[in-house]
Amino acid sequence: MNITNFKIMIRSVQKQKLTSVLSILVLTLGMTSFMLIFFFIQYDKSYDESWNESNRIYRVALEKTLANGNKTYSASNYPALSQVITNEIPGIEYATGLWKDVISVYTPDNFLQNVNFFYSDDSFFKVFNQPFIVGNPNDPFPTIQSAVISEKTALRLFGQKDPLNKRFKLNEGWEFIVAGVFADLPENSHLKIDVMTSAKSLFYYLSHFDNKTSILRLDDAGNASEPDPTAEWLWMNTDKYTYIRLKGNTDLASITNKFNAIYKKYLRHSTDLGEKSNFILQPVASIHTESTMNNELSPNSDHKTITALYVIAILILVMSWIIFINFRITQSLERAKEAGMRKVVGATSVNLLSQIVLESVIFNGLGMLLAFGIFFYLRVWLSNYLELNNLIPVKIVYFLKFLVVFAIGAILSGIYPAYILVTKKAQQLISKKFIQDNDGMFNLRRSLIVFQFAATIALLIATTLIVRQVTFMRNKDIGLSIAQTAYSFTPMSMIKKEGATQKLSAFMEEINCLPGIKASTLSSCIPGKETNFHSNTIYPSGKPEKKGDNFGIQCIDYRFQKVYNPKILAGRMFSRDDRTGGTQLVINREACKTLGFDSPEMALGKFVQVNVNDYLSIPETPYQICGIIEDFHQESPRKKIEPLLLINDFRWKYDTGFITILLNPNNDGYKQTFAQLKDKWKAFYPIDSFEFKFTNETYQLQLKPDKKLAEIFSLYTFLSVLLAALGLFGLAAYSAKKRTKEIGIRKVNGASWLDILILFNVDFIKWVAVAFVVAAPLAWYAMQKWLENFAYKTSLSWWIFVLAGIFTLAIAILTVSWQSWRAATANPVDALKVE
């Protein structure tokens, strides 16, 4: 651009300050919004991509087809699988398994509860190349007492002291020695690991640790090993996570076929019952965004949500360019006489085209620079929004992609406004009728506005429904009373200790006497957490053909009714007189249907065969149904309520259950009650940390991803409305200018300002109606698909569409009326001077 052209551009900007400022503003908004969503999506999609050659790492998930044809899907797998596949499937370079445990870790100075603790093997750090701060990743567990811990856990346990060879204890007193410290796992990984020791240690401690004296016998430590992988019990429960690293250039299809051979070899006891297991190889980098398995190690994202966010990002960016094009067209019309005079004095079409396109590039460049600056400022907000400890990573390659995309958009958005002037002859451009003679161009601009408003209407519909669904889930009666309840893990230091159950019962009696506590209960699970026992070998007594349905099982005590108050449909809940570990059974309505009973009354007193090959270890035993309760949501309404059995028992998975208390409301906000409760806790369990949390807050955590989605959609819908209004503002201004003489003549002939307003608005109302017709069916289809993610959902009501249409129409009328008001109240003499 030479100095003359630059001066012409500056003079044009000075003459059209408002349009120029709005042009840069909409470009900045569009580009910033696009970058924020893009980085949000890229962070979500970057989970587990940081591992060395992550494309060779897979998780082996399980699809299990039961005898009656029902299927279950689990992220965890058979415990022995990782032990056998390395030797039996040649294409696998390394295989590792993870057993998760609920653990408290403590030293004389510090106590950590609910640590992310895993039992694994030496191969873990060969499958996952996590670097070590100290220690040897090739030999992480040199002794039976060795453990490795994360850098963060080392700091929490030992402060600034050297953690190597330091000792810590677990739960009931198992003592381990720090053999290594690994760098904290990436935040964008589905694996969350604080402490890890070997599976060999697990089985050795189980057989060599004296719970009475808390002493570990080390006389046989050299012979420690995992159980024989051919043992049938290692091919029954699915509670171990299996990961593999394939050798280079391995054919994935051949690996899958060999997994089928593993199934036939080791699962004959299952096939004899008519069951079938199918091993699913999940690329580790796809788990967070695509996996919908049960028993996931951490909450996953949703690929439908990611697709929706991509669409929003592109819509916002395209809308900003459409508005910019409309503003540039308005400026081009204002500069028509200038362009005509330049053609008269010898300027070529190429000169004009390059001048106008270059101006467009400069405007886009300014918007891009501002967008980059705003993005880096908002990066802190985005990182906090994602609850990251560090700022969201920014890669140079992404900004290079932005430059390419924005440059293409800048050029394309300048071509059409330039085309209007370049393709006209000089005498046409100089003519005062030029503005009135461009109806084809005006129709194109209106079409672009229709696109903007269709996108806005669709976003309004989507946002309204998402917010409504989140509100529905937050306010839905879950079937249990969890208000004013708080919970804690049962004391872990007493696991397997003599008299643990009696001491826990005594503690419960003591806290029930506190004036601030109405009642308390023990259970294997609480609302908001996944039911941890399941069995598909449960059926009405005498009807073994009814096997195959998957039932959840929870262990509770007789106080459950007082705390959670489930609705009793028939019979009764457990009472103090019922023997703990007895064969009475309470079921929910869904279990009543699944077992084949026509009504709760019909189920009462009937016997059910219960067989659980899990921590409960219940051989096939007849249980009598003493009560039927209404269904309740154990987890989010995203999931369907499962058939559920409640058993009066103190056996819990990992030997760890939950204490839940029902609080008496008082004026001090429960401070005095919690202080008294803590005193009782410390008197009974001086080693264990006192950590009670409100049940409702834990339950609502499940809804956090959906709540964030609603917030994002709300923000970008607001931006869409703002951009659409700005675009319409530009089109209305152009329309008013185009019809200046017409307005003057109408006013001279007696038209009122209201007539002028109606004249302007009727035309735009028609185009908003067209946008609604386009957007409504697309939004309906998209939101129906989104609602399929939820087992329990709100309805896609007609009023949502009407509300979106009316709101958009109101924005259009207000925006257009401002311009038409100015035109209608202008002096008609001034208007007629245009000709």
Side-chain angles (χ1 to χ4, degrees):
M1 179 182 284
N2 59 38
I3 190 68
T4 302
N5 288 338
F6 182 75
K7 288 180 178 178
I8 291 172
M9 186 189 75
I10 295 299
R11 186 168 60 249
S12 174
V13 169
Q14 289 175 338
K15 287 175 64 178
Q16 300 170 332
K17 292 186 181 68
L18 178 61
T19 306
S20 299
V21 170
L22 288 177
S23 296
I24 296 174
L25 175 63
V26 296
L27 288 171
T28 302
L29 281 174
M31 292 175 180
T32 304
S33 302
F34 180 82
M35 285 193 289
L36 284 172
I37 293 185
F38 179 85
F39 274 99
F40 183 93
I41 293 171
Q42 290 306 312
Y43 180 79
D44 228 27
K45 293 181 67 177
S46 69
Y47 266 62
D48 293 300
E49 288 184 348
S50 61
W51 306 116
N52 182 37
E53 295 183 293
S54 63
N55 61 316
R56 291 167 53 195
I57 304 175
Y58 292 81
R59 182 175 70 184
V60 187
L62 181 67
E63 176 193 71
K64 195 171 182 180
T65 305
L66 307 177
N68 62 354
N70 291 341
K71 292 185 178 182
T72 62
Y73 298 87
S74 175
S76 54
N77 219 310
Y78 299 110
L81 184 63
S82 61
Q83 293 177 256
V84 302
I85 56 179
T86 306
N87 296 326
E88 301 193 22
I89 301 181
I92 295 177
E93 185 174 15
Y94 299 109
T96 188
L98 289 174
W99 252 310
K100 184 175 174 61
D101 204 349
V102 179
I103 289 292
S104 59
V105 176
Y106 56 95
T107 66
D109 300 319
N110 294 297
F111 188 103
L112 308 180
Q113 193 179 65
N114 197 22
V115 171
N116 292 312
F117 184 97
F118 290 88
Y119 297 101
S120 190
D121 49 58
D122 294 354
S123 295
F124 178 83
F125 294 101
K126 296 174 182 176
V127 175
F128 298 97
N129 62 308
Q130 187 63 9
F132 270 47
I133 308 299
V134 292
N136 182 6
N138 295 317
D139 186 23
F141 312 116
T143 73
I144 204 66
Q145 288 186 282
S146 296
V148 293
I149 61 177
S150 69
E151 190 176 6
K152 177 180 66 178
T153 305
L155 188 64
R156 294 174 68 192
L157 279 177
F158 306 109
Q160 298 300 326
K161 299 176 183 177
D162 181 6
L164 200 62
N165 297 319
K166 291 289 191 302
R167 295 173 180 264
F168 62 86
K169 292 184 179 181
L170 311 180
N171 290 359
E172 65 271 35
W174 291 10
E175 188 174 63
F176 285 87
I177 302 170
V178 178
V181 177
F182 56 87
D184 292 333
L185 269 66
E187 289 182 298
N188 54 340
S189 172
H190 79 287
L191 294 171
K192 314 294 181 187
I193 302 175
D194 297 319
V195 182
M196 180 183 288
T197 188
S198 71
K200 291 180 182 178
S201 298
L202 167 63
F203 293 104
Y204 188 85
Y205 273 77
L206 287 172
S207 59
H208 290 73
F209 186 81
D210 190 328
N211 288 294
K212 291 183 179 179
T213 62
S214 295
I215 295 175
L216 177 68
R217 291 187 291 107
L218 294 170
D219 54 304
D220 197 29
N223 297 321
S225 64
E226 292 188 53
D228 182 354
T230 62
E232 186 175 297
W233 69 272
L234 289 173
W235 296 92
M236 297 184 74
N237 300 321
T238 55
D239 55 2
K240 192 176 185 182
Y241 298 85
T242 302
Y243 295 86
I244 60 173
R245 176 181 283 273
L246 299 181
K247 295 177 180 177
N249 301 318
T250 300
D251 179 46
L252 194 61
S254 67
I255 295 291
T256 304
N257 292 334
K258 290 168 185 175
F259 267 104
N260 290 333
I262 295 287
Y263 147 68
K264 292 175 182 177
K265 180 177 179 179
Y266 292 99
L267 290 160
R268 290 180 182 174
H269 60 281
S270 179
T271 57
D272 290 343
L273 298 174
E275 297 178 353
K276 181 180 179 181
S277 295
N278 179 37
F279 299 107
I280 301 172
L281 299 186
Q282 297 179 297
V284 70
S286 73
I287 290 173
H288 181 70
T289 54
E290 296 181 18
S291 180
T292 56
M293 299 287 176
N294 294 322
N295 308 319
E296 291 285 357
L297 279 172
S298 57
N300 286 339
S301 184
D302 173 19
H303 72 278
K304 290 182 181 178
T305 299
I306 291 175
T307 301
L309 291 175
Y310 264 132
V311 171
I312 291 176
I314 293 169
L315 280 178
I316 293 292
L317 185 60
V318 170
M319 284 176 66
S320 68
W321 274 325
I322 287 174
I323 295 166
F324 175 70
I325 289 171
N326 280 333
F327 285 145
R328 292 295 293 169
I329 289 173
T330 302
Q331 290 176 324
S332 295
L333 294 172
E334 294 288 337
R335 297 170 64 182
K337 183 178 289 188
E338 172 200 318
M341 292 301 297
R342 292 183 67 188
K343 280 195 171 188
V344 167
V345 297
T348 65
S349 296
V350 174
N351 295 143
L352 286 175
L353 180 68
S354 59
Q355 163 77 20
I356 297 171
V357 170
L358 193 55
E359 287 180 10
S360 173
V361 170
I362 290 173
F363 272 91
N364 275 269
L366 289 172
M368 183 177 64
L369 289 175
L370 288 172
F372 282 163
I374 294 171
F375 168 76
F376 276 101
Y377 177 77
L378 293 178
R379 189 162 68 114
V380 176
W381 167 82
L382 182 61
S383 302
N384 292 334
Y385 186 75
L386 294 174
E387 299 179 351
L388 305 181
N389 294 324
N390 303 304
L391 286 177
I392 190 168
V394 172
K395 297 180 180 179
I396 298 299
V397 66
Y398 291 154
F399 283 100
L400 294 177
K401 290 179 180 179
F402 292 149
L403 285 172
V404 172
V405 171
F406 295 161
I408 293 172
I411 294 170
L412 292 178
S413 62
I415 287 177
Y416 183 73
Y419 172 81
I420 296 171
L421 301 180
V422 168
T423 57
K424 304 298 180 185
K425 294 180 180 180
Q427 57 267 36
Q428 289 177 297
L429 295 171
I430 296 171
S431 171
K432 293 181 180 180
K433 294 183 179 181
F434 177 71
I435 293 179
Q436 283 79 11
D437 292 340
N438 283 280
D439 289 334
M441 172 205 63
F442 186 54
N443 289 334
L444 174 63
R445 295 182 69 196
R446 287 190 296 189
S447 299
L448 295 177
I449 292 297
V450 169
F451 171 81
Q452 288 179 244
F453 275 99
T456 301
I457 290 168
L459 281 175
L460 280 168
I461 293 169
T463 301
T464 304
L465 183 69
I466 291 170
V467 171
R468 191 180 184 208
Q469 175 65 20
V470 172
T471 304
F472 168 80
M473 291 192 296
R474 293 188 68 173
N475 297 333
K476 190 177 188 302
D477 181 7
I478 71 169
L480 295 178
S481 176
I482 60 175
Q484 299 174 348
T485 64
Y487 74 93
S488 169
F489 283 105
T490 52
M492 297 183 187
S493 64
M494 292 300 295
I495 291 175
K496 299 187 186 304
K497 289 291 192 295
E498 188 176 350
T501 301
Q502 292 81 356
K503 188 172 185 179
L504 185 57
S505 297
F507 171 74
M508 299 295 286
E509 293 295 338
E510 286 279 334
I511 65 174
N512 278 330
C513 296
L514 295 176
I517 295 178
K518 286 185 179 180
S520 63
T521 188
L522 293 167
S523 60
S524 61
C525 199
I526 60 165
K529 294 187 180 291
E530 190 174 22
T531 300
N532 43 25
F533 295 120
H534 285 87
S535 174
N536 60 0
T537 51
I538 292 171
Y539 58 94
S541 293
K543 296 182 179 180
E545 69 278 5
K546 292 286 187 179
K547 287 182 183 178
D549 291 297
N550 202 43
F551 286 78
I553 302 173
Q554 289 190 27
C555 297
I556 64 173
D557 68 4
Y558 68 90
R559 305 180 185 92
F560 188 90
Q561 170 69 22
K562 292 183 179 179
V563 173
Y564 287 117
N565 193 31
K567 182 180 179 181
I568 299 174
L569 301 177
R572 62 178 179 82
M573 293 293 289
F574 301 122
S575 70
R576 184 186 287 267
D577 297 331
D578 290 316
R579 179 175 61 86
T580 301
T583 55
Q584 296 288 323
L585 191 66
V586 174
I587 64 175
N588 68 348
R589 185 192 288 273
E590 188 64 28
C592 182
K593 294 177 186 175
T594 305
L595 289 168
F597 300 114
D598 294 333
S599 67
E601 291 74 17
M602 290 288 292
L604 200 60
K606 299 296 191 299
F607 284 87
V608 176
Q609 296 297 126
V610 177
N611 187 354
V612 186
N613 295 309
D614 208 324
Y615 291 81
L616 283 174
S617 298
I618 300 175
E620 191 158 312
T621 305
Y623 277 71
Q624 186 177 30
I625 299 173
C626 68
I628 300 89
I629 62 172
E630 185 60 87
D631 292 335
F632 62 84
H633 289 280
Q634 182 64 36
E635 298 180 77
S636 161
R638 272 184 175 269
K639 294 187 177 182
K640 189 178 185 301
I641 293 175
E642 64 182 350
L644 184 66
L645 313 182
L646 300 178
I647 297 174
N648 184 10
D649 209 316
F650 276 175
R651 285 179 286 177
W652 305 310
K653 197 168 188 177
Y654 311 119
D655 298 310
T656 305
F658 294 90
I659 299 170
T660 305
I661 58 173
L662 176 60
L663 296 158
N664 266 320
N666 49 51
N667 295 328
D668 64 1
Y670 309 122
K671 289 182 180 179
Q672 183 178 1
T673 300
F674 279 117
Q676 293 171 343
L677 180 61
K678 185 175 182 179
D679 290 340
K680 292 289 185 184
W681 180 277
K682 288 300 180 183
F684 276 81
Y685 306 107
I687 296 177
D688 295 272
S689 176
F690 176 81
E691 295 185 22
F692 271 81
K693 300 176 183 178
F694 287 103
T695 315
N696 190 52
E697 292 177 359
T698 296
Y699 185 84
Q700 292 294 334
L701 284 176
Q702 304 173 101
L703 309 182
K704 200 169 186 178
D706 296 304
K707 184 173 178 288
K708 283 190 174 182
L709 178 64
E711 292 169 350
I712 292 171
F713 264 77
S714 298
L715 172 62
Y716 280 89
T717 299
F718 170 76
L719 287 174
S720 172
V721 171
L722 178 62
L723 289 173
L726 288 171
L728 191 58
F729 178 85
L731 186 58
Y734 168 71
S735 179
K737 188 175 186 66
K738 177 175 179 290
R739 303 173 73 172
T740 300
K741 180 186 175 184
E742 176 191 345
I743 294 169
I745 294 173
R746 286 179 179 275
K747 290 191 70 176
V748 168
N749 287 297
S752 67
W753 63 267
L754 183 58
D755 295 327
I756 304 299
L757 257 64
I758 293 173
L759 176 70
F760 268 76
N761 279 290
V762 165
D763 196 37
F764 286 102
I765 288 171
K766 287 189 292 187
W767 288 105
V768 172
V770 172
F772 179 82
V773 170
V774 171
L778 294 175
W780 179 87
Y781 177 78
M783 297 320 294
Q784 283 285 11
K785 287 293 183 183
W786 182 75
L787 283 173
E788 289 175 2
N789 294 327
F790 302 88
Y792 303 91
K793 52 206 169 195
T794 187
S795 58
L796 189 53
S797 302
W798 61 269
W799 64 262
I800 294 176
F801 295 84
V802 173
L803 182 66
I806 291 175
F807 183 80
T808 306
L809 183 61
I811 294 295
I813 291 174
L814 288 172
T815 305
V816 174
S817 294
W818 167 248
Q819 287 294 337
S820 55
W821 168 262
R822 292 179 62 191
T825 55
N827 191 331
V829 174
D830 295 331
L832 291 173
K833 287 180 181 178
V834 171
E835 187 55 53

